[in-house]
Amino acid sequence: MRTAHKNDPCLYDLVVVGASFAGLVAARAAAHRGLRVAVMDAKREPGARVRTTGILVKEAVEECDIPASLTRKIPGVRLYAPNHVYTDLFAPGYYFLATDTPAIMRWLAREAQRAGADLLFGTRFEDATLADDMVRIHGADLKARYLLGADGAKSRVAQVFNLGRNTEFLIGMETEYEESPTVDPDFLHCFVDTDLAPGYLGWVVPGVGLTQAGLAVSHGPFGARRKPNFEAFMRRIDHRFALWNCEVKAKRSGPIPCGGLVSPLSTRRVLLTGDAAGLVSPLTAGGIRLAFQFGRRAGAAISEYLQDGGADPGVLMAREYPGFGLKTWMRRAWSAAPPNALLNATLFTPPMRALAQWIYFQKRGGGVTSATHDRIAKTPAT
Ligand SMILES: Cc1cc2nc3c(=O)[nH]c(=O)nc-3n(C[C@H](O)[C@H](O)[C@H](O)COP(=O)(O)OP(=O)(O)OC[C@H]3O[C@@H](n4cnc5c(N)ncnc54)[C@H](O)[C@@H]3O)c2cc1C
């Protein structure tokens, strides 16, 4: 049974801003629990203007059963040093998934809709006020008993309600090419190079019916601006893959929060989740699994609050959302961009390989280091 006023079509129990990973999963969870839910998104349709590489860690699928037909399993990571020496990392039973991200967005949207949520694409959230425990969303002519901001790294909901905002970002840039047989499909190809990708990595991904190549950079010490130089990155790596022969299908770029959770996360009747809340691993820059996990939890907590007098969702989520303490500091250290010469000398020493294994596979798989099948090889002449 829906709990919002049946005679007022503008009144919802929950309005979610952002129809992406976090928002759609939250909407589905809340609608399944009987709330009247609307999801607003500025995009004109699900799957439009995707801004992510869309790689899922295995745990993301455990949070949200994604249809296998929209994914491609990738068992290992091939990690390249600046001098092109590489090592292969695996953990038994573990894999990553490349995804057809626009198709996953459409699938998530259908799932939320089937659960009963109204999807309002082409509707931008601009402003709102809270009065008498009702959030009035101006411009869209909507009212909500609760508002969930799942509107990404530069959340307008956070801004309007004076909530915490992301201040540290990686800037990611990616090009999608037609599928290339030159890219070994068993690996995420990850390039360490602190000249070209200071603070993060470059990557080449054997995607679903295509190949993705990109890089991300962090700001430098004292917030100095850095911009990804995609052309220089491709000049450095493309002798290996010859993607210059492949048709470009799409280009994208965007900010990735990497400074940990924002604070405050909530105010009365308003909560942030996903990127808006800073729910991105500062080390891997992965946010999709956390968006699935905590988007769903946020939807469930809001339902319990509105239907059963449950705990305040903001208080509950502040307890449940992960703090990234050590990882945030490791990220800041990496942003200082140690010189490539030092990385060439140390990247594949046992402690550094163990660190790389931990970053990619963490507690997953069996005995972590002993389960690794490392291989160091010179770049094949191409
Ligand atoms: C280049 C790049 C590559 C990445 N690669 C990966 C990866 O491989 N794996 C991984 O796990 N993570 C990756 N990430 C991070 C990941 O994409 C995010 O963590 C994830 O998308 C967060 O999901 P979300 O639902 O919180 O927000 P988003 O996916 O950012 O979605 C926010 C939604 O809100 C909507 N919106 C924003 N403002 C408004 C408004 N005012 N009104 C209405 N709608 C609004 C947007 O249109 C959008 O649909 C990458 C990020 C970037 C930029």
Side-chain angles (χ1 to χ4, degrees), residues 125 128-130 135 147 156-163 267 270:
F125 173 88
T129 44
L130 175 72
V135 181
L147 183 73
R156 177 74 187 155
V157 172
Q159 190 182 358
V160 166
F161 286 94
N162 276 324
L163 300 176
T267 183
V270 183

Side-chain angles (χ1 to χ4, degrees), residues 17-23 40-43 49 51-56 105 123-126 150-153 156 172-174 203 252-256 273-276 279-280 285-289 291:
V17 183
S20 184
F21 302 104
M40 327 170 41
D41 200 295
K43 292 177 183 171
R49 288 195 282 117
R51 276 181 133 183
T52 183
T53 310
I55 295 166
L56 302 183
M105 287 294 171
T123 314
R124 179 176 293 278
F125 173 88
E126 304 278 7
D151 51 339
R156 177 74 187 155
M173 187 176 273
E174 182 175 272
W203 61 87
R252 61 180 61 100
S253 65
I256 310 172
T273 195
D275 272 19
L279 277 169
V280 178
I288 301 174
R289 175 180 80 81

Side-chain angles (χ1 to χ4, degrees), residues 164-283:
R165 292 163 69 188
N166 294 298
T167 53
E168 291 177 53
F169 298 97
L170 296 170
I171 306 298
M173 187 176 273
E174 182 175 272
T175 297
E176 245 174 49
Y177 298 87
E178 64 181 305
E179 188 164 24
S180 171
T182 56
V183 179
D184 187 330
D186 284 341
F187 297 99
L188 296 178
H189 299 263
C190 296
F191 296 86
V192 174
D193 186 320
T194 53
D195 289 340
L196 291 171
Y200 194 62
L201 295 168
W203 61 87
V204 174
V205 177
V208 180
L210 45 83
T211 300
Q212 294 157 274
L215 77 165
V217 305
S218 66
H219 292 330
F222 311 111
R225 300 248 153 209
R226 291 174 177 146
K227 275 172 69 178
N229 185 341
F230 183 77
E231 287 70 30
F233 172 63
M234 291 309 280
R235 276 197 299 277
R236 162 154 138 50
I237 66 155
D238 210 19
H239 62 276
R240 180 180 293 278
F241 306 108
L243 295 177
W244 60 67
N245 286 320
C246 299
E247 188 189 334
V248 171
K249 297 289 193 185
K251 294 185 179 193
R252 61 180 61 100
S253 65
I256 310 172
C258 64
L261 277 191
V262 304
S263 175
L265 283 165
S266 70
T267 183
R268 191 165 175 76
R269 303 270 170 170
V270 183
L271 171 68
L272 302 176
T273 195
D275 272 19
L279 277 169
V280 178
S281 165
L283 273 188

Side-chain angles (χ1 to χ4, degrees), residues 294-318:
F294 292 104
R296 183 174 161 277
R297 275 297 297 137
I302 292 165
S303 307
E304 279 159 29
Y305 174 69
L306 293 180
Q307 292 179 315
D308 309 314
D312 182 280
V315 173
L316 214 53
M317 291 305 105

